Every structure is written in C-alpha cells, then in structure tokens.
Amino acid sequence: MTALLAWGQLRRRPAGFAGLAAALLLAVAAVTTFGALLGAERGVPAAESRATGGPGVVLIAGAFGEITVLVAFFVALHTLGFALRHQYRDLALLRTVAATPRQVRRLLRAQTGLVVLAVAAPGGLLGTVTARAFLDGLRHRGLAAPHARIAGTAPVVLAATAVTLLVATAAATAAARRVTRPAPAAALTGSTGAAPRTGALRPVAAAAALAGGVLLLRLAATRPAAEVDKSAQATLLGSLVLLAAVALAGPPVVRLPALLLGAAVRAVAPGTGWLAAANQRGYAHRLTAAAVPVALLTGLATTMATMTATARHAALAAGAPDGATSATDVWLRQAELGLLAAFGAVATLTTLVGLTAERRRELALLRLVGATRPQVLRTVAAETALTCAVGLLLGALVTAAATAAFSTAALGTPLPVVPLGTCARTAAAAVLFTVPTTLATAAVALRGPAVAAATGAPA
C-alpha cells in the first residue's frame, strides 16, 4: 500500500521530484566514479604503479571522493526539502484522515527509495563513463599506471546505489519532521511548510560546523609548503563546512547583508527596489534558501580558482620548470571544480524554480492590486538580483577565509593571488544563471487569470 501511494505521488508530481532525481543521479554517478577508480590499478605490477608521478590513483580518488560525495549528499538533502514542499498539503491531509507520523515517514522513505532506484542505472552508466574518461586523463599526465583500467563496475554501481539509498532515506526521515511535528489541523493550514520555527538544535549545529570549519582552515594554514595538496584538500573541505554553517545558521546570517544590499537596490530603483527589499526582509527563510545555493556554487568556484592561481604562483616562485607541476594541479582542480559545479547548479536551479513557483498566489495578488505583468516581472528580477548579491557576498566571505589559510601554507602570507577576471566571470555567470531562470518560472506562474491564481485554483 505504501509503495502504491509513493508511486502515485511520483506520477502526479513529477516536476516536484525532478531536482531530487537530478541530485541523486549525480550522487550515484559520483560514488560510482570514485569507487571504480579505487580498483583501477588492481592487478597492475607494483613497480609500474610506483613509477607513476603524483600521489597515485587511490589517493586522488579518495581526495576527490570525500569532497564530491559530501557535496552530493548536501545537495540531495536540500532538494529533498523542496520535494516535500510540493506535497506538503497532501501529506497533511493524510494525517487528518488518521495517518500516523510513522506512516508518513514510511511514505517519504518509499518515495525517495523509488527515485534512487529510478536513477541508479543512468547514474551508474554516467559514473562508469566518467571514471574511464578521468582515468584516461590521469594516464595521459603520468598519474596512473599505463595498464590501469576500469572493468566490472556492476558491484560498484550496486554499492553506490546502496549508499545513496541509505543516506537519502535517512534524509527523508529527517525532512518528514516538518509535516509530522505540528498537529494535523495546523499542518493542513500551511501550504508548503515554509518558514518553520527554528529549533534549538540548528544554532548548536551551526556553531559546531563553524568550529569545525575553523579547525580545518587552521590545519590547512599550518601545512608545510611541500604539502600544498594536503593544504588544498583541507581548505576545500573547510570551505564546505563553513558553507554548511551558513546554511544551518539561516536568517540571522543573511539579514545584515540583505539590509545593506537592499539599501543599494532601493537607491538604484526606488519603486521596484523598495518592494524587492521589503519582500526579502519579510521572507528571510526564503531568502536564505535561495542565497545559500548561490553561495555554494560561487564560493566553491572562486575558492578553487584562487587556490589554483596561488599554487601556480608558489610553484613558479619555487623554480618549477615552466610551472609543470602546477599545470597538473590545475587540471586536477578544474576536474574537481566541474563536478562540484554540477551539484551547485542543480541545487541553485531547483531552489529558484521551486521558490518562484510557490509564489503563484503572491504574484497574482500583486496583479489584483494594480501591478501590471511587466511590473511584477521587474520586481521579481530585482529580488533575484538582490538574492544573488547576498549569495555572492556570503560566498566571497567564505572564499576570503579559506584562501587566506591556503595562501599562508603555500606562500607564507595570508594574501592569496586572486584571479580577478575569473572571479568576475563567476559572479556574472551566477547572475546570468539565476535571473533568467527565475523570470522564466515567474512568467509561467503569471499565466492565466489572476483571480483564479489568487484563490488557489489550478492554472
């Protein structure tokens, strides 16, 4: 019975689970990729493995895997929350007709499990192709044995599916508290369960994440110059933990930058800017949910770019011939950045589309009080630009702290080599990615009569 209900919800609301499916597909692919690489040199003579340069395939796969898998599951947790929001009222209605919290949690776990099973095959195939392409790149650069190969990935795909299923179902259990915690009647009165009251656990978790991030950056800063790779991994992991601390802290962190940047928006566009800034102040949870993925995407990109530029400068200063060592590091970091950017893009896209689609009634009310369709779209564009600016600022602060630690280890100074052009292009790409996406979703939400949308009638 639970499986039938879960399948019915998936068929009824496929768009609501699209972001979750993309995140879980990437999670299966990431675990498959690095799991397959761990066994790539099995059977290769030890002398041949020792003859390769660099840290070796196992260490590279382990370093990539610990970062990428952590981001994958962070994004999966985020997208799972939006899958729950799309069916919040349906789940609340189930509770009013005598479904117990345990049954609701079981239903959500079944939904998540079905999504994992649906993406397991394509995720495993993507992971296998990526592992082979990555291994070819490692062999070409002399970082893997010539006879290393990817073979027999079926057990790895099964293990990747099991790991993803375990974490995803645990996340579903945690996410279910939003609909099972309040009384059934109270849950039914909320449309999406948005803006939940922050409990005592989140500030404690945010403080713990902040302390962990600071310790990791301290570890990165104290590595000797000869261990720049270890410093880079500690720096990247520390930046991820700091971004998790920002997400856990929630509205208290974003209110001040939103207030400062909102004043700038009001100065540039007094009418539209005032309404956009007021909306952001009134919906701090919504602002946090949208700004954190932008901070994740841009913060990781600028951190990686700045570390690469700093490492290259350190290699040249040490007299490396033509920067050869740095060129290999650059390639590895670019590959890692590509994987992380894919997860960040999924989180950002899912968040912006989900949050904007939920505002159909709110946007319709603006039209009913006299705002034209172009005016509403301009307001949404201003809000998105403000949200993007808040995310960029948060990402920049994390980048500054992380790269200062890395530069201390690599150059002996907390002032890193900042590639201004790359950082500017990253910020521009974030704006070009978020604003059109939000405007397109808002244009769809504005379709149809405003009265029907304001009363909650189907589009």
Side-chain angles (χ1 to χ4, degrees):
M1 182 64 180
T2 301
L4 291 177
L5 284 175
W7 175 244
Q9 281 290 89
L10 292 177
R11 292 185 59 188
R12 182 186 175 196
R13 301 178 183 273
F17 292 90
L20 177 63
L24 294 177
L25 184 146
L26 288 176
V28 173
V31 178
T32 300
T33 296
F34 300 112
L37 285 172
L38 289 175
E41 290 187 334
R42 184 177 303 154
V44 174
E48 183 178 331
S49 298
R50 287 194 299 269
T52 60
V57 176
V58 173
L59 288 180
I60 291 174
F64 271 54
E66 68 181 9
I67 298 294
T68 307
V69 172
L70 178 61
V71 175
F73 293 141
F74 177 79
V75 174
L77 290 174
H78 188 78
T79 54
L80 183 60
F82 279 93
L84 173 62
R85 292 163 75 101
H86 280 278
Q87 54 178 335
Y88 184 83
R89 287 185 64 85
D90 292 346
L91 297 174
L93 185 61
L94 282 176
R95 291 200 60 204
T96 63
V97 294
T100 65
R102 181 178 179 182
Q103 289 173 324
V104 172
R105 289 193 294 270
R106 189 184 306 156
L107 174 61
L108 288 175
R109 287 196 296 266
Q111 289 176 353
T112 307
L114 288 175
V115 174
V116 172
L117 294 178
V119 303
L125 178 61
L126 176 62
T128 301
V129 172
T130 303
R132 288 173 177 164
F134 192 69
L135 182 60
D136 287 341
L138 293 176
R139 280 198 299 255
H140 178 70
R141 289 163 177 81
L143 298 176
H147 293 93
R149 64 190 183 93
I150 304 294
T153 58
V156 179
V157 174
L158 290 176
T161 303
V163 171
T164 305
L165 181 63
L166 178 63
V167 175
T169 52
T173 301
R177 293 181 66 249
R178 182 173 295 180
V179 70
T180 58
R181 184 171 49 188
L188 189 60
T189 59
S191 59
T192 64
R197 186 172 62 185
T198 303
L201 184 59
R202 286 193 63 167
V204 174
L210 177 62
V214 170
L215 289 175
L216 284 168
L217 294 186
R218 184 178 181 275
L219 176 64
T222 54
R223 294 294 88 193
E227 297 182 358
V228 67
D229 288 337
K230 293 182 179 179
S231 178
Q233 290 300 319
T235 298
L236 190 56
L237 186 58
S239 64
L240 282 173
V241 175
L242 289 180
L243 287 168
V246 171
L248 289 168
V253 173
V254 303
R255 280 198 179 102
L256 180 58
L259 182 63
L260 297 176
L261 294 171
V265 172
R266 289 195 301 271
V268 174
T272 302
W274 179 88
L275 186 57
N279 262 331
Q280 300 294 47
R281 288 196 308 270
Y283 294 93
H285 282 84
R286 186 167 69 193
L287 172 61
T288 303
V292 167
V294 176
L296 174 70
L297 181 59
T298 59
L300 290 176
T302 53
T303 297
M304 192 78 73
T306 304
M307 285 197 307
T308 298
T310 303
R312 177 181 294 169
H313 181 79
L316 292 174
D322 300 324
T325 302
S326 180
T328 300
D329 293 338
V330 168
W331 179 81
L332 287 172
R333 292 195 181 96
Q334 286 176 341
E336 192 169 13
L337 177 59
L339 290 171
L340 297 177
F343 288 108
V346 168
T348 304
L349 184 64
T350 301
T351 301
L352 293 175
V353 171
L355 289 175
T356 307
E358 287 174 0
R359 300 179 62 188
R360 180 170 176 254
R361 183 172 181 271
E362 176 188 333
L363 299 179
L365 288 174
L366 286 176
R367 293 181 62 193
L368 289 177
V369 297
T372 64
R373 181 185 173 96
Q375 287 174 329
V376 173
L377 290 177
R378 283 198 297 271
T379 301
V380 171
E383 289 182 31
T384 307
L386 178 56
T387 299
C388 189
V390 172
L392 287 171
L393 180 57
L394 294 174
L397 292 174
V398 171
T399 296
T403 55
F406 178 75
S407 181
T408 299
L411 298 177
T413 172
L415 299 177
V417 178
V418 180
L420 296 177
T422 301
C423 293
R425 287 191 293 271
T426 300
V431 174
L432 293 176
F433 180 68
T434 56
V435 175
T437 298
T438 306
L439 285 177
T441 308
V444 173
L446 286 169
R447 290 188 309 184
V451 173
T455 56

PDB file of all heavy atoms in Angstrom, residues 228 297 323 334 347:
ATOM      1  N   VAL A 228      51.376  21.079  -0.233  1.00  0.00           N
ATOM      2  CA  VAL A 228      50.356  22.007  -0.717  1.00  0.00           C
ATOM      3  C   VAL A 228      49.075  21.278  -1.105  1.00  0.00           C
ATOM      4  O   VAL A 228      47.969  21.815  -0.966  1.00  0.00           O
ATOM      5  CB  VAL A 228      50.919  22.833  -1.902  1.00  0.00           C
ATOM      6  CG1 VAL A 228      51.182  21.954  -3.106  1.00  0.00           C
ATOM      7  CG2 VAL A 228      49.979  23.958  -2.266  1.00  0.00           C
ATOM      8  N   LEU A 297      27.693  27.569  -4.935  1.00  0.00           N
ATOM      9  CA  LEU A 297      28.192  27.482  -6.303  1.00  0.00           C
ATOM     10  C   LEU A 297      29.348  28.447  -6.534  1.00  0.00           C
ATOM     11  O   LEU A 297      30.413  28.068  -7.042  1.00  0.00           O
ATOM     12  CB  LEU A 297      27.051  27.770  -7.277  1.00  0.00           C
ATOM     13  CG  LEU A 297      27.366  27.701  -8.771  1.00  0.00           C
ATOM     14  CD1 LEU A 297      27.866  26.324  -9.153  1.00  0.00           C
ATOM     15  CD2 LEU A 297      26.138  28.067  -9.587  1.00  0.00           C
ATOM     16  N   GLY A 323      56.394  25.742 -14.756  1.00  0.00           N
ATOM     17  CA  GLY A 323      55.177  25.514 -13.982  1.00  0.00           C
ATOM     18  C   GLY A 323      54.549  24.167 -14.247  1.00  0.00           C
ATOM     19  O   GLY A 323      53.344  24.002 -14.178  1.00  0.00           O
ATOM     20  N   GLN A 334      40.543  21.705 -11.806  1.00  0.00           N
ATOM     21  CA  GLN A 334      39.475  22.021 -12.749  1.00  0.00           C
ATOM     22  C   GLN A 334      38.493  20.859 -12.869  1.00  0.00           C
ATOM     23  O   GLN A 334      37.278  21.077 -12.982  1.00  0.00           O
ATOM     24  CB  GLN A 334      40.077  22.352 -14.117  1.00  0.00           C
ATOM     25  CG  GLN A 334      40.736  23.719 -14.175  1.00  0.00           C
ATOM     26  CD  GLN A 334      41.399  23.980 -15.510  1.00  0.00           C
ATOM     27  OE1 GLN A 334      41.680  23.055 -16.282  1.00  0.00           O
ATOM     28  NE2 GLN A 334      41.665  25.245 -15.795  1.00  0.00           N
ATOM     29  N   ALA A 347      21.446  22.400  -7.234  1.00  0.00           N
ATOM     30  CA  ALA A 347      20.858  22.993  -6.029  1.00  0.00           C
ATOM     31  C   ALA A 347      20.299  24.376  -6.312  1.00  0.00           C
ATOM     32  O   ALA A 347      19.188  24.716  -5.879  1.00  0.00           O
ATOM     33  CB  ALA A 347      21.918  23.075  -4.925  1.00  0.00           C
TER      34      ALA A 347
END
